[in-house]
Amino acid sequence: MRGRIELSRKNVQDARRAFEHVLRDIAKHDVYALCSLGNYYLAAARSEMARAQEAPDQKGARDLALANYRRAIEFFDKCLTLDGNCAAAAHGAAIAMAERGFAADARRIFQDVRDAATVGMGPAHVTVPSSDLVYRAAPALTAAQSDTPPVASDVILWASVNAAHALVDVANYHQAILAYEACLRRLQDTSQALELAAADAQSLVVPGIAGENDADKSSGPPAVERVSATERAERTRVERDIRLYLVRAMYLHAKASKDIDTMKKALEETRLLCSAIDFTLPQSPKPDADGDVPMDDDEVKTTKLSPEHGQLLFDLALLEQSVAQMVGEQPE
């Protein structure tokens, strides 16, 4: 319990010590504590690996990252020895393997977790990744998988996304494209089902009589709307992320196979993503009546973009350039 509280407060080191205390002094086979420590060392490995990439001359950071990956796998393996249905441990081990370069082996594990969830096991908790194209941890398979789980708890979806990531890592771009498209279909199907379920729940709420039971009346429909709106926003964000993964796979496939049709599809997908963003492109200053171009900062319209939007515009420009280059290289 203390470890969970410390994690909720972002006190990672205190949480680690709490889980170590559980294993050392209370229950050395506690699966939750073992898996939590596996996640701790996996996060530490990622942090050290990022530091090593920023400063390649720091060999110590890379060695420490590899040591943390090995430590994480040890904890995840211990979890799986105790509970073979622990999806969080299976995903954690597969993520560590993929990030160390064993993507093919990791993909098989992701597929096993997805298949296990499909036949009737389901999630209890999920950890959200913090960066682009990062393998996403999965919840433990401890309960029946709902037909319409919240997107953050959809173990089938995230196992499929991770398997697609692994296909990209082994340069099997065509299969990765198909896998990401299947993920989008899964997301769209469950989104439609959730919307229908929310509509059904709304229709079942019986309004109170004016002046009677006002508390019950006010807590009915609005509560349904709040939950639905939050879930809808999260699904929109997840769909955007998966489409970005899809565009990346399309681009890599098109570059590797000189496939201009796939490159055009990636460009069209990126244009659709840009069209969903509410921003205005920078405008060049217009000449005045004398034909002079004003250079005053107040007269030059600029647009401040978030890093996320800026990256999307960069991707759009890159794809525009790639399509133009491939068209130019075609024989007349």
Side-chain angles (χ1 to χ4, degrees), residues 49 76 84 205 220 265 298:
M49 190 61 74
F76 291 135
V205 175
K265 289 179 182 178
D298 293 336

Side-chain angles (χ1 to χ4, degrees), residues 18-239:
F19 291 129
E20 289 176 342
H21 167 68
V22 170
L23 295 176
R24 183 179 60 251
D25 301 327
I26 301 175
K28 65 179 181 179
H29 297 311
D30 186 278
V31 172
Y32 182 84
L34 287 166
C35 196
S36 297
L37 286 173
N39 285 327
Y40 167 81
Y41 283 105
L42 179 58
R46 286 173 162 177
S47 177
E48 292 298 330
M49 190 61 74
R51 192 161 67 91
Q53 291 172 350
E54 292 174 359
D57 56 327
Q58 293 188 10
K59 185 176 182 297
R62 181 174 179 81
D63 291 342
L64 182 56
L66 293 176
N68 283 329
Y69 275 128
R70 288 193 292 269
R71 189 76 171 130
I73 290 174
E74 290 174 2
F75 279 109
F76 291 135
D77 282 347
K78 185 66 177 294
C79 287
L80 291 170
T81 300
L82 296 169
D83 180 4
N85 288 330
C86 183
H91 264 248
I95 290 169
M97 292 169 63
E99 293 181 358
R100 289 187 62 190
F102 304 103
D105 294 329
R107 179 171 62 89
R108 285 192 290 271
I109 297 176
F110 291 135
Q111 290 174 334
D112 288 344
V113 174
R114 179 196 60 197
D115 294 343
T118 302
V119 298
M121 293 180 171
H125 176 70
V126 70
T127 301
V128 180
S130 58
S131 59
D132 191 33
L133 197 55
V134 171
Y135 291 93
R136 176 163 177 157
L141 297 177
T142 57
Q145 171 72 67
S146 167
D147 291 335
T148 57
V151 68
S153 301
D154 190 344
V155 69
I156 297 175
L157 174 66
W158 292 113
S160 300
V161 170
N162 284 343
H165 287 351
L167 287 166
V168 172
D169 283 343
V170 297
N172 193 342
Y173 304 127
H174 177 67
Q175 290 298 321
I177 291 169
L178 297 177
Y180 286 130
E181 289 174 342
C183 293
L184 288 171
R185 288 194 297 273
R186 164 77 184 180
L187 181 63
Q188 290 162 0
D189 289 345
T190 55
S191 294
Q192 290 176 0
L194 277 175
E195 292 291 347
L196 290 173
D200 289 343
Q202 183 78 19
S203 66
L204 290 174
V205 175
V206 179
I209 300 174
E212 295 183 11
N213 205 6
D214 289 337
D216 290 341
K217 182 174 66 175
S218 63
S219 63
V224 175
E225 286 297 324
R226 283 196 298 271
V227 172
S228 177
T230 301
E231 178 66 15
R232 193 180 299 117
E234 178 67 6
R235 284 177 174 271
T236 299
R237 184 190 67 80
V238 169
E239 181 177 356

